[in-house]
Amino acid sequence: MGLSGRKVKQRIGKDPRNLSWADDASRFGQAYLAKFGWDPSKGLGTSGEGRTSAIKASQKLDMFGIGMEHQNDPNGIAWRQNRDFENLLRRLNE
């Protein structure tokens, strides 16, 4: 379809962190790791210092780009640029 194809936003399901799958101890991955001595209360790594919880997913509804932390900050650069653009349009329409 290329660039001219219809864009469809993907919906995040009721379990976005996939915890129902991750908490199932009968799955292959957990059984395989447990066979080598992994404990679910510890993280991965040589000394167990790794992440113990699943990575949190969030739904992105704005058009600012991935990784923009100050999307709700009224003093952030994107909001200032938007305000400046709106002021410019207001002056041109007068």
Side-chain angles (χ1 to χ4, degrees):
M1 293 192 123
L3 295 174
S4 64
R6 181 179 293 209
K7 294 179 177 47
V8 179
K9 286 190 175 185
Q10 180 182 3
R11 292 279 180 199
I12 296 177
K14 293 180 180 171
D15 188 21
R17 295 179 62 199
N18 206 7
L19 293 179
S20 62
W21 178 84
D23 292 336
D24 187 6
S26 66
R27 303 291 271 187
F28 172 76
Q30 286 195 9
Y32 190 72
L33 289 172
K35 185 169 76 172
F36 290 105
W38 175 68
D39 181 21
S41 64
K42 296 180 184 172
L44 293 175
T46 56
S47 59
E49 75 280 356
R51 179 184 294 269
T52 57
S53 61
I55 297 173
K56 183 177 181 183
S58 61
Q59 189 171 11
K60 183 179 167 323
L61 298 174
D62 57 21
M63 301 298 281
F64 286 127
I66 296 172
M68 186 159 178
E69 294 295 328
H70 54 277
Q71 59 191 0
N72 294 327
D73 182 13
N75 297 318
I77 189 166
W79 288 94
R80 278 186 285 151
Q81 289 174 346
N82 192 25
R83 266 198 314 259
D84 293 344
F85 183 68
E86 287 176 357
N87 289 337
L88 174 66
L89 290 176
R90 191 177 302 114
R91 283 192 318 225
L92 290 174
N93 285 331
E94 290 177 352

